[in-house]
Amino acid sequence: MINKIYVIGVGLIGGSLAIDIKAKRPDATIFGLDHLEENLTTALELGVIDEKAVFEDLDNADLVILAIPVDATVVLLSRVLDAVSDFGLVVDVGSTKKDICKAVETHPKRRNFLAMHPIAGTEFSGPKAAIPNLFQHKTNIICEVEKTAFKLQEKALNLFAELGMRMRYMNPESHDKHIAYMSHLSHISAFMLGKTVIEKEKNERDIFDMAGSGFESTVRLAKSSPAMWTPIFKQNKDNVIETLEDYIKNLSQFKALLENDDFEGVFNEMKDTNYIKQILNGIQ
Amino acid sequence: MINKIYVIGVGLIGGSLAIDIKAKRPDATIFGLDHLEENLTTALELGVIDEKAVFEDLDNADLVILAIPVDATVVLLSRVLDAVSDFGLVVDVGSTKKDICKAVETHPKRRNFLAMHPIAGTEFSGPKAAIPNLFQHKTNIICEVEKTAFKLQEKALNLFAELGMRMRYMNPESHDKHIAYMSHLSHISAFMLGKTVIEKEKNERDIFDMAGSGFESTVRLAKSSPAMWTPIFKQNKDNVIETLEDYIKNLSQFKALLENDDFEGVFNEMKDTNYIKQILNGIQ
């Protein structure tokens, strides 16, 4: 049974997992740890966690959820594995998987770790951003499942399936390569769209009255946390640079079509890309 | 009074205007015209319009709403002005304003025309995409208001205010320059994001399971209609090219920061752009 759950990092993802697990497993106790005491207090007041805990308590854990920025995960994961008992499972939820898996590949308790990436979130962060049902119908990428003790992974995956996640299995290198296209590039695209517009219009606040729902949707991810995203881009640097090269190339080609008055070409670029409709419908 | 309203182009915008006007003015009759007979039939079946009409009926109109692609507007607008009576007002709803205003600047009935751009929409098109309340709390940019007969503009602006629009006044050149940043660039950004991901992942359909809500939001506008957007980019070519140059420059700088391992720089780029939160909150 998974009764004692320790969430390290009671922010958007850790807190949302805590809320859903509590709803599905009313007998479980959710303990919270965070490097910011005020986050922990907020999480307790909001009922996101049941109790505050400290690192030394981790040997009581059935499940430890590490939901902190990926650079901190690489540093802390070994220490967390050292701290849990042979019956405790540690999972991380980071948006990169290669460096994290590598950090513990020779750890004597490697079998107590499950590397995963639930693809869910919002542009907000911190314990107040935690919401119920965030993981309903969302994909959870599991990496190197074969390296995790079978009984531990089974209990955890049953729990995550109960929260509505569908599991997909992938090696860490493939995960990092593809998530660069499917997620990391979207964030940079939105951040640079926001930057471009702010630079141009910063002295003309009235202009922001012209922002419609299209701009808002496209720029939404530019509200995301730099503290969370900087280490993701650092760990996945090579893949992210490749996506940016492809993206810049496509934008430059589109610009060249405009410059050459090739509006049939412009039309066809958009028509071909409308295919994204079918793809997005397919995933829903 | 505005009792006889002719909507030319019963798609997303024309249809949504028809629905809202009918709701606010139950005594009015909404006539529809469209170059596709099937669109007209659909609009009638859905109750978006009350009756089908033909071009020769336009001299009965109190208000004609021209809601067709901007290249067609430039061609058709003079003929519509020729067709209306001295008491009929013609408005367009196009996403460009300079070429449209220029097309009728010397027209003897220029005072029967009001150039406007309600900044509202979705990524869908056609009469089935028409929805109620699309214009609630949305900005409606009015250009060259001083060139429209006072009594005609007053009646129309009262009606549009009733639909929930807030009016903003701007000259056509400023409109086209700023809307390139606030809307047109978002569309190209989304289309090229979609293209980049499709090109990379087209042979690996499983990968689209990795698409989360962030990707969906950022790429949403890539579902938009090429037939509507190609003439917009054509008419606003110079401004759109300028936005693309700025955007590509910012993306290239971000890539250089990654290549140079300047992650403090990466962090600061994102932190500065988080300012978009305040801007977007301000407009809501």
Side-chain angles (χ1 to χ4, degrees):
Chain A
M1 286 295 292
I2 298 182
N3 279 321
K4 292 180 180 166
I5 294 145
Y6 288 73
V7 178
I8 303 180
V10 293
L12 166 67
I13 300 296
S16 297
L17 281 167
I19 290 170
D20 282 2
I21 293 172
K22 189 71 193 168
K24 292 288 180 186
R25 303 281 172 95
D27 295 337
T29 306
I30 314 275
F31 300 89
L33 294 85
D34 203 288
H35 73 303
L36 290 178
E37 183 65 25
E38 64 179 275
N39 279 356
L40 223 44
T41 302
T42 304
L44 194 63
E45 284 169 1
L46 294 172
V48 168
I49 59 169
D50 297 314
E51 291 182 33
K52 295 184 185 185
V54 294
F55 207 85
E56 290 64 38
D57 301 333
L58 293 180
D59 64 340
N60 295 315
D62 296 312
L63 175 65
V64 181
I65 297 169
L66 203 50
I68 57 181
V70 292
D71 53 345
T73 300
V74 165
V75 173
L76 204 61
L77 180 53
S78 289
R79 283 184 53 210
V80 174
L81 276 176
D82 291 338
V84 293
S85 79
D86 285 347
F87 310 103
L89 176 69
V90 181
V91 303
D92 88 299
V93 298
S95 188
T96 57
K97 292 272 78 63
K98 202 180 70 169
D99 285 6
I100 290 170
C101 287
K102 194 158 177 57
V104 291
E105 65 180 341
T106 60
H107 194 286
K109 285 210 191 115
R110 174 62 184 85
R111 62 194 295 279
N112 292 66
F113 171 57
L114 181 70
M116 68 183 216
H117 178 199
I119 301 178
T122 72
E123 67 273 33
F124 306 114
S125 48
K128 288 178 183 163
I131 50 175
N133 301 314
L134 181 61
F135 306 97
Q136 197 69 45
H137 308 304
K138 300 294 165 59
T139 296
N140 188 17
I141 310 280
I142 311 287
C143 290
E144 299 188 334
V145 68
E146 69 285 355
K147 294 193 179 177
T148 308
F150 184 71
K151 287 196 174 169
L152 293 177
Q153 63 170 265
E154 187 180 34
K155 281 193 295 188
L157 294 179
N158 286 342
L159 173 63
F160 296 129
E162 272 184 62
L163 305 194
M165 299 179 190
R166 52 183 183 193
M167 312 304 157
R168 293 289 183 269
Y169 299 87
M170 205 175 271
N171 68 51
E173 290 75 19
S174 290
H175 169 275
D176 286 11
K177 176 169 166 273
H178 294 297
I179 205 72
Y181 282 91
M182 300 307 295
S183 163
H184 302 174
L185 177 59
S186 299
H187 284 79
I188 299 175
S189 156
F191 269 111
M192 291 303 103
L193 175 65
K195 182 183 177 184
T196 303
V197 171
I198 289 171
E199 277 183 343
K200 190 69 186 182
E201 308 290 10
K202 63 189 161 197
N203 297 319
E204 308 190 56
R205 293 297 305 271
D206 287 354
I207 297 306
F208 285 103
D209 276 358
M210 295 176 89
S213 56
F215 177 68
E216 279 192 70
S217 159
T218 318
V219 85
R220 179 173 69 86
L221 297 178
K223 302 177 190 173
S224 303
S225 157
M228 178 184 153
W229 280 96
T230 304
I232 291 171
F233 295 143
K234 187 173 180 179
Q235 286 188 17
N236 208 19
K237 175 184 145 175
D238 293 342
N239 288 315
V240 169
I241 287 173
E242 189 187 316
T243 69
L244 277 172
E245 280 167 355
D246 291 353
Y247 186 50
I248 291 168
K249 188 198 73 194
N250 284 327
L251 286 162
S252 301
Q253 278 176 359
F254 194 90
K255 183 163 81 76
L257 292 172
L258 292 174
E259 285 164 342
N260 298 329
D261 290 315
D262 182 356
F263 293 101
E264 193 184 329
V266 166
F267 180 91
N268 288 333
E269 287 280 287
M270 291 193 278
K271 189 160 179 295
D272 293 344
T273 306
N274 276 169
Y275 176 62
I276 204 80
K277 276 185 225 179
Q278 278 84 332
I279 292 170
L280 292 175
N281 287 341
I283 63 164
Q284 273 163 355
Chain B
M1 286 295 292
I2 298 182
N3 279 321
K4 292 181 180 166
I5 294 145
Y6 288 73
V7 178
I8 304 180
V10 292
L12 166 67
I13 300 295
S16 297
L17 281 167
I19 290 170
D20 282 2
I21 293 172
K22 190 71 192 167
K24 292 288 181 187
R25 303 280 172 94
D27 295 338
T29 307
I30 314 275
F31 300 88
L33 294 86
D34 203 288
H35 73 303
L36 291 178
E37 184 65 25
E38 65 178 275
N39 278 356
L40 222 44
T41 303
T42 303
L44 194 63
E45 284 170 0
L46 293 172
V48 168
I49 59 170
D50 297 314
E51 290 182 34
K52 295 184 185 184
V54 295
F55 206 86
E56 290 64 38
D57 302 332
L58 292 181
D59 64 340
N60 295 315
D62 295 313
L63 175 66
V64 180
I65 297 169
L66 203 50
I68 57 181
V70 292
D71 53 345
T73 300
V74 165
V75 173
L76 204 61
L77 180 54
S78 288
R79 283 185 51 211
V80 174
L81 276 176
D82 290 339
V84 295
S85 79
D86 285 346
F87 309 103
L89 176 69
V90 181
V91 303
D92 88 300
V93 298
S95 188
T96 56
K97 293 272 78 64
K98 201 180 71 167
D99 285 7
I100 291 170
C101 287
K102 193 157 178 56
V104 292
E105 64 180 342
T106 60
H107 194 286
K109 285 211 192 115
R110 174 61 185 87
R111 61 194 293 281
N112 292 67
F113 171 56
L114 180 70
M116 68 183 214
H117 177 198
I119 301 178
T122 71
E123 67 273 33
F124 306 113
S125 48
K128 288 179 184 164
I131 49 175
N133 300 316
L134 182 61
F135 305 96
Q136 197 69 45
H137 308 305
K138 300 293 165 59
T139 297
N140 188 18
I141 310 280
I142 312 287
C143 290
E144 299 187 335
V145 67
E146 69 285 355
K147 295 192 178 176
T148 308
F150 184 72
K151 286 195 176 172
L152 292 176
Q153 64 170 264
E154 186 181 34
K155 281 193 294 187
L157 294 179
N158 285 342
L159 173 63
F160 296 130
E162 272 183 64
L163 305 194
M165 298 179 190
R166 51 182 183 193
M167 312 305 158
R168 294 288 183 269
Y169 300 88
M170 204 176 272
N171 69 50
E173 290 74 19
S174 289
H175 169 276
D176 286 10
K177 176 169 166 272
H178 293 297
I179 204 71
Y181 282 91
M182 299 309 295
S183 163
H184 302 174
L185 177 59
S186 298
H187 284 78
I188 299 176
S189 157
F191 269 111
M192 291 302 103
L193 176 65
K195 182 184 178 183
T196 303
V197 170
I198 289 172
E199 277 184 342
K200 189 69 184 182
E201 307 291 8
K202 63 188 160 198
N203 296 319
E204 308 189 56
R205 292 297 304 273
D206 288 353
I207 296 306
F208 286 102
D209 277 357
M210 295 177 88
S213 56
F215 176 68
E216 279 193 70
S217 158
T218 318
V219 85
R220 179 172 68 87
L221 297 177
K223 303 177 189 173
S224 303
S225 156
M228 176 183 155
W229 280 96
T230 303
I232 291 171
F233 295 143
K234 187 172 181 179
Q235 286 187 16
N236 207 19
K237 175 183 144 175
D238 293 342
N239 287 314
V240 169
I241 287 173
E242 189 187 315
T243 70
L244 277 172
E245 281 167 355
D246 291 353
Y247 187 49
I248 291 168
K249 189 198 74 195
N250 284 328
L251 287 161
S252 301
Q253 278 176 357
F254 194 89
K255 184 163 80 76
L257 292 173
L258 291 175
E259 286 165 342
N260 299 328
D261 290 315
D262 182 357
F263 292 101
E264 193 184 328
V266 165
F267 181 92
N268 288 333
E269 287 279 287
M270 292 193 278
K271 189 161 178 292
D272 293 346
T273 306
N274 276 170
Y275 176 61
I276 204 80
K277 275 186 227 180
Q278 277 85 330
I279 292 170
L280 292 175
N281 286 341
I283 64 162
Q284 274 162 357

